[in-house]
Amino acid sequence: DTGVSQNPRHKITKRGQNVTFRCDPISEHNRLYWYRQTLGQGPEFLTYFQNEAQLEKSRLLSDRFSAERPKGSFSTLEIQRTEQGDSAMYLCASSLEQGTSGYTFGSGTRLTVV
Amino acid sequence: GENVEQHPSTLSVQEGDSAVIKCTYSDSASNYFPWYKQELGKGPQLIIDIRSNVGEKKDQRIAVTLNKTAKHFSLHITETQPEDSAVYFCAASNRFWGGGADGLTFGKGTHLIIQP
């Protein structure tokens, strides 16, 4: 296992379309997080899962956003009816519930809404 | 909620010199403070972290100090090298269970430039 994998790396979509991103965490990590990062800013927390349970959602996660982690392994983040303001880098991270390793981030999916 | 301020936004130092990046936080309940390095086109990489029961932590050329009273923490990089050039982010959280914290609040980043 080489780290957190995110697909696709880049996505260009037209305003109003739906998009879905996938994250494969490090296999033994039971916590999975989604963050959004816009140009020149630090990542902003969106939501997190412990195993398959979604335990927290940020106020940034509007009704157009939905995240799932059905079997406690990979996760998907879907954005419905995309808007230009959704253009950002979407980062996934994973961590162990116990331990001192902290988060491991993936390389992200860069979304451009045109 | 938590607010993290990071300074400076850009820092240029000569190779071999030291670099210091400072962050302040607002939530006195914050107890976990990681630092991340982000290179172009990549996700942030954890380089060092500190918990509130420790005042200082060092890992080779990198050190972090925490002043809970003043609610600020700093990253120190000594003997800087060209590969240290990147954007560095500090973060804070008031929740952790032995390992990674949830809902990290990040600063806006510092672009560190190492001049040869």
Side-chain angles (χ1 to χ4, degrees), chain B:
Chain B
E2 174 69 281
N3 182 50
V4 176
E5 299 284 341
Q6 183 171 348
H7 299 281
S9 56
T10 304
L11 178 60
S12 181
V13 301
Q14 290 292 321
E15 182 178 351
D17 289 350
S18 295
V20 180
I21 301 170
K22 299 181 179 181
C23 288
T24 60
Y25 60 98
S26 62
D27 187 352
S28 57
S30 286
N31 53 22
Y32 176 62
F33 307 92
W35 285 88
Y36 287 85
K37 175 184 181 183
Q38 188 171 28
E39 296 173 322
L40 202 60
K42 297 184 178 180
Q45 177 190 7
L46 179 68
I47 56 172
I48 196 167
D49 58 11
I50 192 168
R51 288 173 173 79
S52 57
N53 58 345
V54 175
E56 184 174 355
K57 184 176 178 181
K58 188 174 181 180
D59 183 4
Q60 299 182 359
R61 297 186 296 109
I62 295 173
V64 57
T65 58
L66 171 65
N67 183 327
K68 287 192 296 181
T69 303
K71 290 192 282 189
H72 69 70
F73 55 114
S74 300
L75 177 72
H76 304 253
I77 305 174
T78 59
E79 302 172 8
T80 52
Q81 301 168 3
E83 53 265 35
D84 295 330
S85 293
V87 179
Y88 290 80
F89 291 96
C90 62
S93 173
N94 63 6
R95 285 170 288 180
F96 71 95
W97 292 275
D102 309 298
L104 290 171
T105 300
F106 283 80
K108 292 189 175 182
T110 295
H111 186 192
L112 177 61
I113 302 165
I114 308 301
Q115 303 279 5

Side-chain angles (χ1 to χ4, degrees), chain A residues 98-110:
Chain A
Q98 301 296 331
T100 58
S101 59
Y103 281 23
T104 300
F105 277 94
S107 293
T109 294
R110 179 163 295 286

